[in-house]
Every structure is written in C-alpha cells, then in structure tokens.
Amino acid sequence: MAAPKKPSTPTKTTAPPDPMPPEAGAGIAYHQALNPAQLEAVRFGDGPLLVLAGAGSGKTRTLTYRVARLVEEGVDPRSILLLSFTRKASQEMLQRASLLLDARCRDVAGGTFHSFANATLRRYAAVIGFEQGFTIIDRGDAEDLIGIIRKEMDPPGDGRQLPRKSTLATIFSRAVNKQRPLEDVLYDDYGHFSDMVDTITTIREQYTRRKREHHFLDYDDLLIHLHLLLTEYEAVRQRLAAKYRYIMVDEYQDTNPIQADIVSLLADAHHNVMVVGDDAQSIYAFRGADYQNILDFPKRFQGTRIVKLEENYRSLQPILDFTNRLIESADAQYSKCLFTRRHGGLPPVLVMTAGENAQSRYVVREVARLRREGTSLDRMAILFRAGFHAFDLELELNRAGIPFKKVGGFKFTESAHIKDLLAHLRIVAAPDDQLSWRRVLGLIEKIGPKTADRIFAAVRAHSQGAGGLLSAPLKMKNQAKLQPLKDLIGALTDAPEAVARWGELVFSYYLPILRAKYDDHPRRQRDLEQLLAIMARYRHLDDFLSDMVLEPPSTAIEDGLAAAEPTAECLTLSTIHSAKGLEWDTVFILWALDGRFPSMRSMEDPDDLEEERRLMYVAATRAERELHFTCPVQIFDRATQSLLCDPSRFLDGIPENVLRRENYPDW
DNA sequence: GTGGAAGGGTTTTTT
DNA sequence: ACCCTTCCAC
C-alpha cells in the first residue's frame, strides 16, 4: 500500500514562463511565451478560427495573448467580445492580458453567455417589450412559479400525480436547450409522463404567460430573447455586429444550439470569430450541449482555419498515459492525443476501500501525508460526480481539522435565509414580483399563500410600487401584522439609493424573524453578514440582484474564509463540473464505482455513458502530479436493489503499469 | 386559511 | 435526506 512518492527531483516544467509585464516600450515576447501552434492562433488575423485545445494545452494562455495582440495592434478593446464559461474565467483572462499589455485590455467586453444576454437585453429592453425592465429568476424561483401553477391544475384523476415542480422545470428547460418540442422530450426522456402531455403543455403555457406578466426572465429566456433580438430585429443585429468586430468563445464544446446560433448571428457580418474548445471535454449534454457543435464549426464558417494544441503543460507523463488510454477507448473518435515533456512521477492509483467511510479516511490520511511532505492544501482537490457524494468526507475532514471549501452542489444564494433577505430587496426593485411578495409576506405569522396573494393583489392595484403597501386597503387584522414591514418599506423608499444601506435596513428587520425561524440562526446570520459585505461593492441594486442570479458566490464558506483570512490554505472539494478549467498538484476522484460513476441512470443510453466517460476524463486531466481514484465496495443501490462492488467500467482493462491497484485498509 | 405532523415516493451535473 | 400530499387542530 505504498502511496505515490513525490519525485525525488523537482520536475522541470517546459511550459513557457508566466506572462510578465513587458519592459516599457518593448513589445510582447510572443515567440518566447508560446509554442508554434499557440503562436499561429495568437497571430491569426481576420476570419474564422477554430482552436482544438486538449486538456492543459495552454488554451487560456492562447486566448489571453490573442486579446493582448489584437489590442496591441490597435483594435478598440470595446469591440472585442470574449464569451467564456464563467465570469471568473473571463475576468482572469482580461486581467492577465492587462498584465501583458496594459489596462486597455480591461475594456474588453466579456462574461458568460447569460451575463452578456442580460447586459444586451437591458440595453434593448424596450425593443422586445420590457419597457419597465425585467427580473431574472433563478432555478428555485422558476420552480416556485411552476409549483403555483401546478397546484392550480386538476390532478390527472387516475390516482397518479403530475411530475414534481423540479421535474417540470427540467423538462421545460431541456425542450428549450435542445430546441425540441415538449412532446418529444416527454416521450424520449420521461416516457412515464408522456400520457400527461396535454396537462404539462398547459402548465408550460401558463408558466410562459405568467413570466411575461411579472416581467420575469429565467435562464433560458435570456438566451431565447437575445436570439430573438438578433433574428427579428435586423437593425439591432447590425449594430451589435458592428460594435463587436472580434468574437471569441471559450469552451465552445459546451455551447448548445441557441448559443451557437447567437455566435453565428453576431459574427455573420465579419466572420471574425475564434472558438476554442475540446470535443473530448464536452460535459453539458444535459443542458443541450453537443460536442458535434465544435466539429461542425468549419461548416458554419467557410474557410475556417483549424489549429490543434496537443502539447500538454500540466501533467506528468504517467497521468497522460492514463488519460490518453481513458479517452482512447471511447466509442466516439475524438480528435487528439496529448503529449508532454514532463517526465517522472508514478502512475495513478485505484484504491478499493471497504465502504464509504473507509474512502473518506483514506482521503484524509493521504491529504495529511501530502501536507506533511510539503504540498499546500491549496494544491489539492477532491472531485466527485454529485454534491452529496462528499457528505461523509466533509464530516471526516472536520474531525481531522482540515480546512476545506466546497464548490458546486448547493449554492449560497439557494439557501432560504439568503433568498428571504433578497426577496425584501426585490419587492422594492420590482414591485410586480409576486414570488418575492409571497416569500416576504409568508414570513409574517398567520400569513400564508392565500393572504399573501390577496395583499399582493391589493398592492398591485394601487400601482405605486412597493410603497403601495402603505396605502392599499387591507383588512384590519392584517394592518397590524404588517406594520413592521410597512415601516421597512417606508424607510427603504425614503433612503437614497445605497445598496449597502438598504441591505442593513432589511437585515435588522429580518433578524428577529431569522432567530424565530431557524435553530441554527448564528450560522445563517454570519452568511447574511457576508452578503452585506458583498452588497457594499455595488452601486446599483439591479446590478446586485442580477449578479446574485447569474454569478452567485460559489460557496458561503469560501467567501467567509477569503474575507476573514485571505492567506489561509484550504483544500478544495468540488463537483467535476465546477472543476472544469482548473488544475491541482494532486487530485482525488471519489466513487470510481460502477453504478455511481458511471451512474446507473446513464447506463441505458450510450450517449449518456459517453458523457460520463468524458466527465471522468475531465476530472483526471485536472491532476498535475498525483492522481487517486477511490472505489468503495459493497454499496447498496436502492434503485436497482443491487450491491455495487466493481470499479468503474472506464478503468477496466487498463494495465497495472498505467493504473496501480491497492486496497485500503489492507484486507 | 394557516401551521404542524405524518407518510409515501424520488435524489446528478449549471447558467 | 427532501418534497409533496393529506389530515387535523386552531
């Protein structure tokens, strides 16, 4: 049970040095910083360009240098649009480009598809019939609204129930993202509900109608409306195409048909479009992404130049030997084989453990060992398929006193107390927001959904915004209960627009409610204080509220630690989806157990199974030096009533010299 | 109408 | 573990 040893001599990295600010007046040293393929992409002039970038091949570096290069050549930074997967990723690229060149690079327009859609739609809101603006609703809000409609519908009558609200939301979203009729999605993916197609269609019509009534846009609507704006309003499309003369898209393999269309529409006039991605790392099929999208790019744009980045700068050779093998045995033929000049190190290890808790103890033991040997916790990550897969490990890490942050899974802004506080601000910002009124009023004793809706209707009829609550005619017994809330709204509407001040007013109103409602209120109160700190960074309430939906802080703990002790080192726990694009010295992949990874559900459909394999590939290629898989055995699977005992089928047939096997504890 | 308690059926991944 | 429904007391 020898654990992988650190290589005795530090491995020499052949990766180009990190970008440094150029000497005053000197140009950027492209030749020293980039390999020939990267250089070709960076120096590519006008026209369509497809960069197929393997894992760890310097994709971000290439995009960063190309931005700097364009700006250096005199392109107006505001005419460059850089769409990437997370806002953090695009900010980092622009920051690095600024270091290479100068601060002009910060003026590059960038963000996620959704944040770009938000910004654009705000500018053209009147064109698409949102004269009074709009509120972006997150998944939870969407489900609440669907839940209200669902409850109003007649039950099917045969004793069965309609799909739960979260399932309905998934069905509706899938139909949009895959651009398929609702009926087809139901028939293919939810066969057991396909006979309710009429009722479900009605629910969706109602959902669409009410979103419009309340000026709500959900995540999908942002893309739909942007697409609509570009297709239906030729003048707008021309203006946007003239404004953004260079389009760049990161992680193009994860775009869905609407997003790919949006890119085409924007680039149609000039064809100056560069997309970067890796078909082998496409892991968002569940929301409509199709790796075929990136392979079809040259068909959309005639004369596309294709550049392949195949040299890996991240991982040691034994890790690449393994990951190449993993992706080679895929059914689909992906387009590359990676190589590296980083030698040394041991092959990855697969560790069989006697159950889930043994898995957790193995990870804790190894993390402690690595730390003793000098690896910072910041350089290690634990990756897993789904958020709840790490629950047991979290307990063990707490017991061992190892600090960690968890990324992915449940979000800060999804917890009830955060949503409560935001709802108070939302009714002021958007008085038509019935969902937020329900939430705010429902917090008051003896007010439930019915009373809340009545009060909402009265306020709305008064059409004075949230202040309508102060003058709307209400029943006497409601008047008294509502007095504190009225005082709050009065204070909010009187105070000048200062986001942080409003946050404090709501906080002091909400604190007694929080204390009465939750036993664990001290922890939640700390979260709220974090939220207030975040609010202080904003000048406009609308921006704050939009950001909380589009790019919420990934974890409460992360921000807590970052704020309190920015230097404290910290282990990362992450879903594989949230780990995309990141890298660590040492990576642990949990639950490499057939039935968990791949999951039972994915085994019926070859396409789903392929995506699981790509997911494992993404996880494994995050590692630079050490890679551990753990496989707890004898796990009972309730869905199939069977005992799971075998390692992931993706690891079958990989020889011992590529993947070592161990048992923990020895048995 | 509200609020609490009890019991049966379902659990990925993200903007 | 959580959602959703149902049932019952106020």
Side-chain angles (χ1 to χ4, degrees), chain A residues 375-389:
Chain A
T375 307
S376 162
L377 290 179
D378 294 329
R379 304 294 302 130
M380 302 182 225
I382 322 293
L383 306 182
F384 32 83
R385 180 76 187 80
F388 69 88
H389 287 169

Side-chain angles (χ1 to χ4, degrees), chain A residues 3-264:
Chain A
K5 290 282 183 298
K6 219 176 177 178
S8 47
T9 48
T11 315
K12 182 134 172 49
T13 291
T14 53
D18 275 339
M20 294 289 285
E23 312 275 323
I28 298 169
Y30 296 101
H31 284 91
Q32 277 106 68
L34 303 166
N35 69 31
Q38 293 171 338
L39 194 61
E40 182 184 357
V42 166
R43 302 178 72 167
F44 185 78
D46 290 0
L49 173 65
L50 167 60
V51 178
L52 290 170
S57 64
K59 169 175 72 90
T60 307
R61 166 180 297 258
T62 303
L63 276 166
T64 305
Y65 273 79
R66 179 156 153 100
V67 167
R69 164 96 180 173
L70 287 171
V71 174
E72 187 186 42
E73 287 187 332
V75 173
D76 179 355
R78 282 161 303 185
S79 72
I80 301 172
L81 177 63
L82 174 63
L83 293 171
S84 74
F85 201 70
T86 63
R87 181 175 306 188
K88 205 170 134 201
S90 78
Q91 275 171 353
E92 222 170 87
M93 276 188 262
L94 299 181
Q95 168 70 21
R96 280 163 67 173
S98 299
L99 286 175
L100 277 175
L101 188 66
D102 56 56
R104 280 179 292 170
C105 295
R106 295 215 182 103
D107 292 333
V108 168
T112 63
F113 275 92
H114 290 86
S115 67
F116 173 66
N118 177 42
T120 306
L121 292 173
R122 298 252 177 230
R123 200 167 311 135
Y124 295 99
V127 178
I128 52 164
F130 288 94
E131 288 80 2
Q132 307 134 51
F134 53 82
T135 302
I136 305 169
I137 58 172
D138 66 12
R139 176 60 185 252
D141 296 327
E143 285 179 13
D144 288 348
L145 186 54
I146 292 169
I148 292 171
I149 298 161
R150 179 179 178 277
K151 200 176 279 178
E152 291 165 4
M153 300 298 295
D154 291 325
D158 53 6
R160 292 182 321 143
Q161 281 167 11
L162 284 164
R164 47 171 59 196
K165 60 187 180 183
S166 62
T167 308
L168 288 167
T170 302
I171 294 169
F172 298 161
S173 183
R174 186 164 306 179
V176 171
N177 283 295
K178 297 201 169 176
Q179 304 249 266
R180 301 183 65 210
L182 182 62
E183 198 173 346
D184 292 4
V185 173
L186 270 182
Y187 194 81
D188 289 351
D189 301 342
Y190 295 88
H192 49 301
F193 293 133
S194 54
D195 56 326
M196 299 184 200
V197 59
D198 292 338
T199 316
I200 295 173
T201 303
T202 311
I203 295 176
R204 185 166 75 158
E205 283 163 7
Q206 280 289 321
Y207 175 55
T208 305
R209 200 171 61 74
R210 293 205 198 174
K211 279 188 294 183
R212 194 159 305 153
E213 256 174 44
H214 298 293
H215 314 295
F216 287 152
L217 293 185
D218 65 22
Y219 289 129
D220 299 331
D221 293 331
L222 286 170
L223 299 181
I224 292 172
H225 281 92
L226 176 58
H227 188 260
L228 211 65
L229 188 70
L230 292 168
T231 47
E232 304 286 307
Y233 302 91
E234 180 58 21
V236 176
R237 190 182 66 75
Q238 281 180 16
R239 273 176 64 182
L240 288 170
K243 180 177 161 93
Y244 301 114
R245 292 189 31 247
Y246 290 88
I247 318 268
M248 296 188 211
V249 187
D250 193 9
E251 310 277 15
Y252 190 78
Q253 77 281 358
D254 285 324
T255 53
N256 64 32
I258 308 175
Q259 291 168 319
D261 264 0
I262 288 171
V263 172
S264 297

Side-chain angles (χ1 to χ4, degrees), chain A residues 216-503:
Chain A
F216 287 152
L217 293 185
D218 65 22
Y219 289 129
D220 299 331
D221 293 331
L222 286 170
L223 299 181
I224 292 172
H225 281 92
L226 176 58
H227 188 260
L228 211 65
L229 188 70
L230 292 168
T231 47
E232 304 286 307
Y233 302 91
E234 180 58 21
V236 176
R237 190 182 66 75
Q238 281 180 16
R239 273 176 64 182
L240 288 170
K243 180 177 161 93
Y244 301 114
R245 292 189 31 247
Y246 290 88
I247 318 268
M248 296 188 211
V249 187
D250 193 9
E251 310 277 15
Y252 190 78
Q253 77 281 358
D254 285 324
T255 53
N256 64 32
I258 308 175
Q259 291 168 319
D261 264 0
I262 288 171
V263 172
S264 297
L265 287 160
L266 285 169
D268 191 42
H270 46 63
H271 286 205
N272 293 331
V273 54
M274 171 193 193
V275 303
V276 184
D278 179 4
D279 47 333
Q281 292 187 66
S282 168
I283 54 173
Y284 280 94
F286 68 91
R287 68 178 204 204
D290 184 347
Y291 68 84
Q292 204 56 42
N293 223 356
I294 191 166
L295 303 177
D296 288 345
F297 181 81
K299 290 180 204 152
R300 276 184 189 247
F301 290 95
Q302 291 294 309
T304 292
R305 173 78 202 149
I306 300 175
V307 175
K308 289 188 181 185
L309 306 183
E310 294 182 310
E311 176 163 2
N312 175 293
Y313 294 103
R314 178 182 296 150
S315 309
L316 297 182
Q317 190 62 49
I319 291 179
L320 278 196
D321 289 341
F322 168 78
T323 56
N324 280 336
R325 181 104 200 194
L326 185 64
I327 205 70
E328 264 166 31
S329 26
D331 292 341
Q333 274 312 299
Y334 301 108
S335 43
K336 74 208 60 68
C337 179
L338 296 173
F339 67 98
T340 184
R341 298 179 212 179
R342 305 188 63 192
H343 297 287
L346 287 173
V349 61
L350 166 63
V351 182
M352 312 296 287
T353 73
E356 179 172 17
N357 189 251
Q359 168 178 257
S360 302
R361 283 182 283 114
Y362 170 77
V363 171
V364 168
R365 187 194 75 176
E366 289 297 292
V367 166
R369 173 187 64 81
L370 285 154
R371 200 182 187 188
R372 268 198 313 279
E373 292 174 2
T375 307
S376 162
L377 290 179
D378 294 329
R379 304 294 302 130
M380 302 182 225
I382 322 293
L383 306 182
F384 32 83
R385 180 76 187 80
F388 69 88
H389 287 169
F391 286 164
D392 186 73
L393 176 62
E394 289 172 50
L395 296 177
E396 287 298 327
L397 286 169
N398 278 328
R399 263 161 50 140
I402 299 173
F404 64 90
K405 62 180 174 183
K406 190 175 178 188
V407 187
F410 291 109
K411 283 208 196 55
F412 187 51
T413 44
E414 282 165 4
S415 45
H417 53 296
I418 301 289
K419 298 212 83 166
D420 285 348
L421 194 130
L422 293 176
H424 291 84
L425 295 164
R426 280 171 51 163
I427 60 173
V428 177
D432 287 338
D433 183 344
Q434 181 186 11
L435 293 174
S436 294
W437 276 106
R438 270 191 173 222
R439 183 174 271 277
V440 166
L441 293 167
L443 290 169
I444 299 167
E445 290 283 297
K446 303 286 172 203
I447 297 183
K450 299 280 180 203
T451 314
D453 281 348
R454 262 206 304 275
I455 296 172
F456 170 69
V459 173
R460 210 162 178 228
H462 245 228
S463 64
Q464 293 171 7
L469 182 67
L470 277 57
S471 46
L474 301 169
K475 288 184 190 150
M476 262 337 267
K477 62 175 183 183
N478 285 338
Q479 293 282 5
K481 283 183 301 208
L482 287 170
Q483 197 52 50
L485 181 62
K486 285 184 180 182
D487 293 343
L488 172 69
I489 288 174
L492 288 173
T493 44
D494 284 349
E497 172 156 0
V499 182
R501 174 78 192 123
W502 284 354

Side-chain angles (χ1 to χ4, degrees), chain A residues 554-575:
Chain A
S554 50
T555 57
I557 302 164
E558 179 191 44
D559 282 78
L561 284 179
E565 243 181 303
T567 53
E569 59 174 270
C570 183
L571 180 67
T572 299
L573 272 57
S574 176
T575 60

